[in-house]
């Protein structure tokens, strides 16, 4: 078996294998996830819900967007259980397959015009499947990176799966932008929107091939060799690592709120209340995503000197950004582009070290489950309802209250960061807790 380590033969994943395998999987996962986010704003309200009330259809579509975040903790518990019991590699392959099947199925669904309310229910079911897959993917990809990393490069290695987010978003936004340019509106809503979902099958097969070439992480293999697995990792996390779990949720909160305000909410508000065309605003977002991608490695390098300090400073800046977000967004095209660039740059700075920070809070025997649950539960609080809450706040009280919402999330994350220890010098091969 290729994952077995013995004194005579120790299969070692090369840095190139590790980093590419962790990056390609999350890129595919986030591509699948974001094409849904984009379609939830510009396609699904018209095709999968009743056209009698457009406003209600849009809110219903955003609600199905949130279903995946409710499914994420289930995926985290399920895949985390097997990831902490039998290994990271096998679990990652199954998680990626789950996400891929759900995404391709969306591209083949009949619409509301064809089968009525059943179309809405099937869409919600497929979205649930996406959430299950992503709930198991993210934590495993981060562990694949950091558990293969040299002790002084864990934040740098842990940054690569995080890069999958901007790359996946750039690909998804780019695909929709190209389709919007090449196809008429009639063609786009007839069949064009399906193409990104169906094409993801090719990316999934590529990701599976790469994942199957790697071996088990050395850190987890040592845990297997010592027989230190626990029977029910989720129970152990809730019973013995409650403080770390709560702190991890709080640490992720501002990151989730910021990102889904910068992507889903701004796209929805910009193309409705502010009058931007779909193509123009997607192009503006893609420009902002460049800053997201560039700042991720910068923050990872800074985090090698200390995770907690970097995260505290960035979180404080996110809180300030919340106070200036609305006037920037409303200041014409230049202001909106500057707002997206600044917001997504801050997103990269907080997101780069996040996977490493959360993973280092838990011991190896429950690290997959603990880190995945913290990330997924934070997604319910910070992401699943963020577009819905922001839209409601903007319509009822005005755009500045969306910024206040972000600032409140930053305050909670700041308090969460104050409650954790600095983990940069921890030895992952030593069992804690």
């Amino acid at each position: 078996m290729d994952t077995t380590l013995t004194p005579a033969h120790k299969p070692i994943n090369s840095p190139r294998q590790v980093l590419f395998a962790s990056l390609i999987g999350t890129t595919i996962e986030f591509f699948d996830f974001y094409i849904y986010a984009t379609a939830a704003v510009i396609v699904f309200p018209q095709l999968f819900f009743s056209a009698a009330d457009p406003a209600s259809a849009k809110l219903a579509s955003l609600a199905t967007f949130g279903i995946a975040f409710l499914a994420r903790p289930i995926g985290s518990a399920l895949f985390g259980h097997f990831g902490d019991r039998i290994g990271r590699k096998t679990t990652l392959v199954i998680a990626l397959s789950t996400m891929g099947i759900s995404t391709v199925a969306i591209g083949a669904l009949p619409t509301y015009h064809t089968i009525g309310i059943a179309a809405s229910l099937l869409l919600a079911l497929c979205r649930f499947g996406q959430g299950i897959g992503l709930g198991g993917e993210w934590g495993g990809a981060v562990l694949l990176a950091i558990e293969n990393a040299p002790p002084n490069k864990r934040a740098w290695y842990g940054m690569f799966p995080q890069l999958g987010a901007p790359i996946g978003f750039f690909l998804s936004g780019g695909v929709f932008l190209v389709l919007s340019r090449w196809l008429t509106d009639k063609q786009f809503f007839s069949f064009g929107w399906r193409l990104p979902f169906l094409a993801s099958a090719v990316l999934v097969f590529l990701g599976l091939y790469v994942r199957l070439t790697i071996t088990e992480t050395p850190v987890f293999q040592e845990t297997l060799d010592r027989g230190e697995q626990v029977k029910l990792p989720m129970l152990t996390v809730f019973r013995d690592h409650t403080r770390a779990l709560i702190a991890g949720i709080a640490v992720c909160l501002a990151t989730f709120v910021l990102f889904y305000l910068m992507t889903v909410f701004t796209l929805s508000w910009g193309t409705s209340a502010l009058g931007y065309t779909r193509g123009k605003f997607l192009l503006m977002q893609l420009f902002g995503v460049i800053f997201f991608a560039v700042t991720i490695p910068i923050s990872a390098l800074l985090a090698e000197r200390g995770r907690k300090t970097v995260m505290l400073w960035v979180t404080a800046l996110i809180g300030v950004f919340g106070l200036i977000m609305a006037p920037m967004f409303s200041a014409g095209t230049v202001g909106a582009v500057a707002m997206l660039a600044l917001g997504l740059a801050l997103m990269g700075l907080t997101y780069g070290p996040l996977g490493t920070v959360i993973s280092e809070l838990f011991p190896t025997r429950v690290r997959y489950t603990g880190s995945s649950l913290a990330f997924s539960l934070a997604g319910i609080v910070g992401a699943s309802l963020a577009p819905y809450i922001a839209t409601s706040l903007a319509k009822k009280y005005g755009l500045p209250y969306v910024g206040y919402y972000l600032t409140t999330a930053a305050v909670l994350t700041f308090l969460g960061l104050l409650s954790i220890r600095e983990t940069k010098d921890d030895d992952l091969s030593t069992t804690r807790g």
Side-chain angles (χ1 to χ4, degrees), residues 16-105:
R16 181 178 298 178
Q17 281 181 301
V18 169
L19 299 180
F20 186 65
S22 61
L23 173 62
I24 188 65
T26 53
T27 297
I28 295 166
E29 295 279 359
F30 282 109
F31 170 79
D32 288 355
F33 209 69
Y34 297 153
I35 57 176
Y36 189 98
T38 304
V41 172
I42 63 179
V43 176
F44 295 155
Q46 299 184 46
L47 297 184
F48 283 89
F49 300 92
S50 173
D53 184 356
S56 296
K58 178 166 281 190
L59 288 176
S61 180
L62 291 176
T64 65
F65 172 78
I67 287 175
F69 294 96
L70 299 178
R72 268 184 174 182
I74 300 174
S76 297
L78 176 65
F79 291 114
H81 176 85
F82 292 105
D84 284 327
R85 289 283 300 166
I86 64 174
R88 310 336 191 182
K89 173 184 173 177
T90 302
T91 305
L92 278 169
V93 168
I94 300 173
L96 183 59
S97 301
T98 302
M99 183 76 175
I101 292 171
S102 301
T103 303
V104 173

Side-chain angles (χ1 to χ4, degrees), residues 99-349:
M99 183 76 175
I101 292 171
S102 301
T103 303
V104 173
I106 291 173
L109 287 179
T111 63
Y112 189 93
H113 178 72
T114 305
I115 60 173
I117 190 67
S120 307
L121 297 176
L122 288 172
L123 180 66
L125 179 63
C126 290
R127 180 60 172 168
F128 188 83
Q130 281 192 317
I132 292 287
L134 191 57
E137 164 66 26
W138 179 85
V142 172
L143 298 195
L144 175 64
I146 70 168
E147 289 185 351
N148 276 290
N152 61 340
K153 289 187 177 180
R154 288 204 302 265
W156 179 252
Y157 273 52
M159 170 271 296
F160 277 83
Q162 305 296 75
L163 272 178
I167 295 174
F169 182 84
F170 194 85
L171 291 174
S172 66
V175 166
F176 275 103
L177 183 61
V178 169
L179 291 175
S180 296
R181 295 285 177 87
W182 284 0
L183 303 177
T184 65
D185 273 357
K186 183 178 180 180
Q187 291 172 325
F188 179 79
F189 284 96
S190 175
F191 67 88
W193 70 269
R194 297 180 182 275
L195 300 179
F197 291 92
L198 298 175
S200 69
V202 178
L203 298 177
V204 170
F205 282 120
L206 172 63
L208 290 175
Y209 171 77
V210 173
R211 288 279 171 84
L212 289 169
T213 64
I214 61 174
T215 61
E216 189 55 79
T217 70
V219 171
F220 183 74
Q221 188 63 52
E222 290 177 11
T223 297
L224 283 178
D225 294 341
R226 293 193 297 259
E228 292 176 348
Q229 309 100 296
V230 296
K231 290 184 178 180
L232 293 172
M234 184 173 69
L235 178 62
T236 301
V237 168
F238 280 110
R239 184 188 63 202
D240 300 335
H241 305 282
T242 310
R243 181 176 177 181
L245 180 62
I246 294 173
I249 293 170
V251 168
C252 295
L253 187 60
T255 303
F256 273 113
V257 173
L258 174 62
F259 184 72
Y260 285 97
L261 290 186
M262 291 298 99
T263 54
V264 180
F265 168 73
T266 58
L267 176 62
S268 176
W269 192 259
T271 55
S272 56
L274 299 183
Y276 292 100
T277 65
R278 180 174 69 241
K280 181 177 180 179
F281 203 86
L282 284 173
L283 194 59
M284 291 161 59
Q285 282 190 325
L286 289 176
F287 177 75
V289 170
I290 295 173
F291 292 86
F292 180 22
V294 168
T295 52
I296 285 178
I298 293 173
S299 63
L301 288 172
L302 293 172
E304 294 294 7
R305 303 176 183 178
R307 289 46 159 150
K308 187 172 178 178
T309 302
V310 171
M311 293 291 288
L312 283 169
W313 274 105
V314 176
T315 301
L317 291 174
I318 292 172
V320 173
F321 173 71
L323 303 179
I324 62 174
M325 174 186 163
M328 292 181 71
F329 197 13
S330 304
T333 300
V334 174
V337 169
M339 183 275 298
L340 289 168
L342 180 56
L344 287 166
L346 289 171
M347 177 64 198
L349 290 173

